[in-house]
Amino acid sequence: MIDVRLLRANPAEVRAALARRGDPELDQVVLRAQAADDRLREITARRDQIRARVNELSREVGRLRREGDVEAAEALQGESRELGSEESVLAAEHDSMAADLRELLLVIPNIPNADVPDGVSDADNPVIAGPYLPEGGEEGFAEHQRVPHWEIGAQLGILDNERATKIAASMFTMQRGAGATLARALCQYALDSNADAFEEVRPPTLVSTATLTSTGQLPKFADDAYAIERDDLWCIPTAEVPLTSIHAGEILDQAELPLRFMAYSPCYRREAGSAGRDTRGMLRSHEFDKVEILALSTPEQAPVLLTEMIGRVERMISSLGLHHRAIEICTGDLGQSHHRSVDIEVYAPGCGQWLEVSSVSWFSDYQARRADIRYRPLDDEGRPQKGTALVHTLNGSALAVPRVWAAILETHRQADGSVAVPEVLRPYMRGIERIG
RNA sequence: GGAACGGUGGCAGAGCGGACAAAUGCAGCCGCCUUGAAAGCGGCCGGCCCACAAGGCCCGGGGGUUCGAAUCCCUCCCGUUCCGCCA
C-alpha cells in the first residue's frame, strides 16, 4: 500500500508519480481514495467526541453510585444510553468507510522510484548490462546448439511432459533421470552459493489469504493463484510470499537489519492470462522450482542491497556458462508492488529467445505496510528514536529452475548430441559430466 | 477429530465489572555515583489514529450484555497437555 498520509499531504505529487505507470483508470481510484480518507477522518472525529462524552458520563456514574446517589446516576445513565445509540450509528459508518478506503488502497500500485525510466510496455525496457554473448552475438552459436530444449529433452529421455500432462494437466512438466537430477542440483547450487549471507528457510508453501495479500497478489490477482477453498489456503506463486511475512506484525530492532532469507520452494501459477503461450518445453508451467533470496532492510540500505542482489544473480548465471543481459523495467511494465525492478535474461540459442530467469525488485515500504513490518530507528548516536518506521523489502530469484535448465541444455549441447554439465553442478550430480 | 486448560506490554507475570494502558520483576533508555564498569539511587520506559494537543482506540480476532468490559456471555482462531489418527 502507498502511504495515505503522503496522499493527503501531497496529492498532486502522488498522482503525478503514479501517472507515470500509464494506467488511465488509476487516477480515478486515487481520487476516490482521497475522498474516502477525508470522509473517514471526519466521521472518526465525530465518533470520538461522542465516545469521550460517554466515557466521561460513565466515570461520573461510577462515582455517584459509590457515593450512593442512585437517582443522579440513573439520570446520567439515560443520557449515556442515548449517546450510545448515536455512537453505534457513527461507528458502523466509520467501519464501512474504513473498509472502502482499504479496498481502494489495496489496488493502488506502488510509486515508481525516480530512477525508473519512462515507458509504456516491455518494449521500452532498456538493457542496462550486457548482452554478454559469444563472438558473433545471437548468431554466434554453433549449429548443434540451435536445437530447442524440448527436442534435446526428448532425444535424451530426460523430459517427459506428455506423461506429466496425463498425471496432472496441460502445462505441467516432468524431468527424469539426469534431467531430474539437474533440476535438483540447480536448487542446491543456488542455495549453497548464497549461504554466505542468507539464512536458509523451508517455509510453508500453502498460505493464508492475509499472507497472500501482504505481498500484493491479492486482491487484484486472485485468478493467477491456486486456491484451496475448503481450507481457505492458497498455493504460493513464489517463496517471496511466505518469506516476506516471516516478521509480519512485528517491530524489529534496527540493529538486526538487514535480515536476509533464502528458500527453495515449488511455485504454483495458474498462468490465467497466458494460456497457449510457451506451451512447449519448460518455458512456462503451472508448477516449477525456484530459489528465492529476500531482504528486509532500512530505507537507506535498500538501494545497496538491490545492486548486491543483482550482482549475485549475474554471477550465478555466468558460473553456469550461460549468456545473459540485464534489463531495467520501465514505468509501464513495472509490477504493482514494485518500486524498482531489474530482470536478468538468459539467451537460449535453441529456441532463439531471451528468457527471463530472474527479477530482482525493491518494494520500498509497499509490502511492509500491508504486512505491518516495522523497526525502531536509531539516531546518529545509536540511541532509539521515538516511534517506529516501516522496513523496506527486496527480493529476487536466485535461480528459477525451468528456464535455466532449458538454457543449459541448449547452450551446452555438444556436436554429438550430448549435453555437458557445467562444472559447478557436477558435485551436486554424483559427478555426472555429460548427459547422453 | 475428541477432552481439559490457556492466550495481558520486548520477556516473565498479576489483575477477573468502575479510579486499569494495566501491579511487580527482568530487559532497555537518561541522569547521579565511579578512574571505568558492576552494584546502588532517581527518572523514563507498549502501539495505533489524529498536523500537534485535546480526544479516541488496542489486554488473540469478531459479536453481544452494561451507563461502564482485560474482567461476564457467544463465536472463531491460535497454543499447551491427554486421547485418537498418522509420515
Side-chain angles (χ1 to χ4, degrees), chain A residues 210-212 214-215 240-250 294 371 373:
Chain A
T211 297
L212 201 63
S214 290
T215 27
E240 162 195 344
V241 170
L243 291 183
T244 301
S245 284
I246 287 176
H247 289 289
E250 298 182 20
L294 180 141
I373 310 168

Side-chain angles (χ1 to χ4, degrees), chain A residues 158 176-189 320 405 408-409 419-435:
Chain A
I158 58 173
R176 304 183 60 167
T181 310
L182 174 61
R184 176 175 53 77
L186 285 168
C187 294
Q188 292 196 208
Y189 172 58
L320 293 168
W405 190 95
I408 285 176
L409 257 60
V419 171
V421 173
E423 202 129 354
V424 292
L425 293 179
R426 292 176 190 173
Y428 297 98
M429 293 186 65
R430 305 175 210 102
I432 298 175
E433 295 179 10
R434 190 171 279 257
I435 303 173

Side-chain angles (χ1 to χ4, degrees), chain A residues 133-143 145-146 323 347 349:
Chain A
L133 286 167
E135 192 100 0
E138 293 176 19
E139 310 306 315
F141 291 88
E143 205 46 45
Q145 291 175 293
R146 316 225 62 125
H323 304 93
Y347 191 71

Side-chain angles (χ1 to χ4, degrees), chain A residues 1 87 95 211 229 231 291 391 406:
Chain A
M1 273 185 287
E87 192 270 351
D95 290 353
T211 297
E229 284 180 38
D231 296 296
V291 171
V391 302

Side-chain angles (χ1 to χ4, degrees), chain A residues 302-376:
Chain A
V304 184
L305 280 162
L306 182 69
T307 305
E308 184 206 312
M309 287 163 73
I310 293 166
R312 281 176 177 272
V313 176
E314 291 193 271
R315 283 197 298 282
M316 163 127 319
I317 292 301
S318 301
S319 75
L320 293 168
L322 302 178
H323 304 93
H324 79 278
R325 64 182 185 186
I327 304 281
E328 168 105 41
I329 305 304
C330 74
T331 52
D333 195 29
L334 202 62
Q336 159 170 293
S337 307
H338 298 175
H339 181 56
R340 186 172 187 184
S341 204
V342 170
D343 280 2
I344 307 298
E345 297 184 339
V346 162
Y347 191 71
C351 37
Q353 287 181 59
W354 284 99
L355 306 178
E356 180 194 331
V357 297
S358 176
S359 188
V360 183
S361 304
W362 173 16
F363 299 82
S364 64
D365 60 13
Y366 189 87
Q367 293 182 323
R369 184 170 290 105
R370 288 169 166 245
D372 188 25
I373 310 168
R374 290 172 289 161
Y375 71 101
R376 294 181 198 284

Side-chain angles (χ1 to χ4, degrees), chain A residues 73-241:
Chain A
E74 276 170 2
L76 291 187
Q77 279 171 224
E79 187 182 339
S80 186
R81 218 186 323 245
E82 277 170 40
L83 283 172
S85 58
E86 208 177 314
E87 192 270 351
S88 62
V89 171
L90 278 171
E93 224 178 303
H94 170 276
D95 290 353
S96 90
M97 189 55 63
D100 289 353
L101 174 59
R102 183 176 160 77
E103 213 171 284
L104 291 166
L105 288 173
L106 280 175
V107 300
I108 294 175
N110 200 357
I111 291 169
N113 185 277
D115 292 338
V116 172
D118 284 308
V120 298
S121 75
D122 57 358
D124 302 316
N125 295 339
V127 175
I128 55 166
Y132 303 103
L133 286 167
E135 192 100 0
E138 293 176 19
E139 310 306 315
F141 291 88
E143 205 46 45
H144 59 260
Q145 291 175 293
R146 316 225 62 125
V147 180
H149 65 276
W150 52 87
E151 283 178 23
I152 305 172
Q155 279 164 16
L156 301 178
I158 58 173
L159 185 63
D160 190 355
N161 288 356
E162 290 76 10
R163 289 196 178 88
T165 300
K166 173 175 74 178
I167 296 164
S170 67
M171 300 260 287
F172 282 84
T173 71
M174 178 159 66
Q175 298 78 245
R176 304 183 60 167
T181 310
L182 174 61
R184 176 175 53 77
L186 285 168
C187 294
Q188 292 196 208
Y189 172 58
L191 287 168
D192 284 355
S193 301
N194 290 294
D196 60 307
F198 293 80
E199 179 195 345
E200 184 172 352
V201 177
R202 194 8 276 228
T205 56
L206 302 184
V207 299
S208 67
T209 298
T211 297
L212 201 63
T213 304
S214 290
T215 27
Q217 285 79 15
L218 295 179
K220 218 173 166 179
F221 305 105
D223 284 349
D224 293 328
Y226 283 100
I228 303 171
E229 284 180 38
R230 178 172 16 177
D231 296 296
D232 195 19
L233 290 167
W234 303 77
C235 301
I236 59 168
T238 156
E240 162 195 344
V241 170

